[in-house]
Amino acid sequence: YDLRSCRGFGCECVTFGAPRLGDAVFAQLFREEGIKLARMVNRFDVVPRLPSNHEDEVSGDQGMLQQQIHWWLGGVQERRNASGYVHFCAPVELDASAAAAALHWANAARVAATSYSKLRNLRGTGTGSRSSVASEEVAKSAEALFPHRLDSYERNLACRLGGPGIALQAALRLAKEGYQEFSARASGAATTSGAAA
């Protein structure tokens, strides 16, 4: 905005998972400058929903997420004068298709199964290593459920450009890998506990 309004530069901007930047007045000033803007979002990414706005449309599973975020953060935002923030243009939802949703949930299930197996196998180890691994696994699970990292945006953009068949193939591959990894860990744990008995 400053480059365009103060220095006269021509500006184009593409964002991936960007939060809201200002209120409706600032959004109008931004639009009046004629800055070309494209806003890419992942359906379950929390960051583009921040600061939360009670006027957001609530529908589907991501709408329920938006309601929870506003419930958790609304009061804090109002006390800090951060309520009423808006986006400056409509989003391009990279994972809007049913196949992309399947990919999201398959990835979340794979990560959860892997994390569960790792934590289960740590039961007899020292507290320090359990705590460290638990922190890592919680972070992985959070990223799988609320995909904000650039690699998840790259994957969803590739699926969007490649069509729903690409996303469905990726979801099936992730589900198969997760099941095989979970089965291997479970059978390894059973073998280990059987040998100990």
Side-chain angles (χ1 to χ4, degrees), residues 71-151:
W71 184 76
W72 289 328
L73 300 175
V76 173
Q77 290 173 180
E78 287 175 22
R79 287 190 295 279
R80 302 214 180 262
N81 294 322
S83 60
Y85 274 39
V86 297
H87 283 293
F88 302 168
C89 69
V92 175
E93 198 170 270
L94 297 178
D95 55 352
S97 71
L103 175 60
H104 169 79
W105 291 115
N107 185 48
R110 179 186 61 82
V111 170
T114 302
S115 295
Y116 174 76
S117 293
K118 285 182 181 177
L119 293 172
R120 190 162 185 240
N121 291 335
L122 286 174
R123 283 192 300 202
T125 62
T127 306
S129 66
R130 269 191 305 201
S131 175
S132 163
V133 171
S135 295
E136 289 174 26
E137 295 308 316
V138 166
K140 288 177 190 175
S141 295
E143 177 56 33
L145 286 172
F146 310 114
H148 182 67
R149 290 180 32 174
L150 190 54
D151 60 341

Side-chain angles (χ1 to χ4, degrees), residues 42-50 52-53 56-73 104-105 142 145-147:
N42 285 333
R43 179 188 310 184
F44 296 100
D45 185 355
V46 178
V47 175
R49 292 174 166 76
L50 297 174
S52 69
N53 187 327
D56 285 340
E57 180 182 323
V58 176
S59 64
D61 42 9
Q62 71 273 25
M64 292 184 329
L65 173 66
Q66 182 61 35
Q67 268 185 326
Q68 271 311 125
I69 291 170
H70 186 70
W71 184 76
W72 289 328
L73 300 175
H104 169 79
W105 291 115
L145 286 172
F146 310 114

